[in-house]
Amino acid sequence: MKSLYFRIVATFALVALVSGIIAFLFSNLYYHSKLKDFNEKKILEISREIAYLHEHNELPMDEFLTSVANMNFQLYLVDENLQGTQYGDRFRNYDLDENIIKSILHGNTYYGISDFQSNLFVTGFFKDNLENSIGIPITVDGQTKALFVRPNVEKQFGEMRIVFSLLLGITFLLSLLLILIFTTFIVRPIKRLTKAARKIASGNYHIQLESNRSDEIGALANDFGRMAKSLQKLDDMRQEFVSNVSHEIQSPLTSIQGFTKAIRTKTVSKEEADRYLSIIEQESSRLSSLSKQLLMLSSLDKQVKSISKTEFRLDEQIREVILVTEWQWNQKNIEINLDLREIVINADEQLLFQVWMNLIANSIKFTDESGAIYISAKVDDDIIVVVRDTGTGIPVEELAQIFDRFYMADKSRNRTKSGSGLGLSVVKKIIDIHGGTISVSSELRKGTEFIIRLPW
């Protein structure tokens, strides 16, 4: 398979070649449309000047025309008998219609350069045929003769042709050499990107792509580096996710297994057995909740669960969540303060119910005895719902992580406050797919505030 390096070099070389051909064709067109007539007029003036000088000097005709020919002209003198004499270098071809010669002998001028048929610039300008010349009548010793004149291009421009040929050849070769060199600078970072992509494909995300370029390739290298870091982070999150799921499942299973064995041995009292069964029930419930939230996150991630939007009263839905959780906040003697405007929203009712359930349940969980929870809902440019509590609060440095899956501020994972660390991830995902935003502010031992904005 041809490499990118070869393709770029071949492309540039082809562009240079095609550009040269097109430039040659345009030059040819310009010569035929502009320079050909100008060149003919110039030679006609020279021919008339030769005739004028002959009439005003006493040199014999042969000597005079020889002197003119020595100034790099090709001359051909034809008499009334159609006999011609060459002065200077010979013409390549002497074929010419006799009627043209007779017309010149009768005092007419022959415009052979403009009438000369040639498709190529080089042929038209350099071809030294007799028909590609200017013919004028000239009087020699009282007789009218036909004098054909054209410049000896080979002698006048021979060196320049070599110079221009060298110029074009060296220019093309230098261009090709520079293309070979500069293409290396283009292909080199792409080769680095290819090697980096292979490393990523093999699972190695620790790559360094330092690029000082400010062009598209530099931007690509920088974006590639950011992509590698994102993939590294994603892979770390995946491994942590597996570790956390394993931990969250293993811990309750171990508890269930241990308490089950204790009950089966019948070495525990009835009161202890009842307490163990209660713990088993709680752990089973937690496992069930964990599996449900994992399934919900998976379906939301894959967009398997389509959003079924309907119009419903948002304020009534929040009140319903308050009623569902009544036994929890009553048990801790928590004061609930509601400021809910009548709001009709078009959204997925079931998913938003899960949002308020998770947020309010969290507030209840982390609010101490006799604390307070404030919930408000109003309409500005968006629908704004605020859930604020007077709970334990979250450290400022951890606020950015609370929506990460399995993140819990309790690093020791004690079970005094049940939870899997998935609740806020579910909330964030549901808000995102509704086109809304959620923000949080918190202060230790003073409480936490969540602000949710949904499109109106």
Side-chain angles (χ1 to χ4, degrees), residues 270-292:
K270 186 175 182 304
E271 290 77 11
E272 288 179 327
D274 289 340
R275 186 168 62 86
Y276 291 168
L277 288 173
S278 177
I279 294 174
I280 291 172
E281 183 180 4
Q282 291 176 7
E283 296 292 356
S284 300
S285 177
R286 194 159 66 85
L287 279 175
S288 176
S289 175
L290 174 64
S291 63
K292 287 178 182 179

Side-chain angles (χ1 to χ4, degrees), residues 398-413:
E398 297 183 6
L399 286 177
Q401 301 172 269
I402 63 171
F403 295 109
D404 293 345
R405 297 176 186 187
F406 290 106
Y407 175 79
M408 290 189 294
D410 180 13
K411 297 294 189 295
S412 63
R413 294 185 179 274

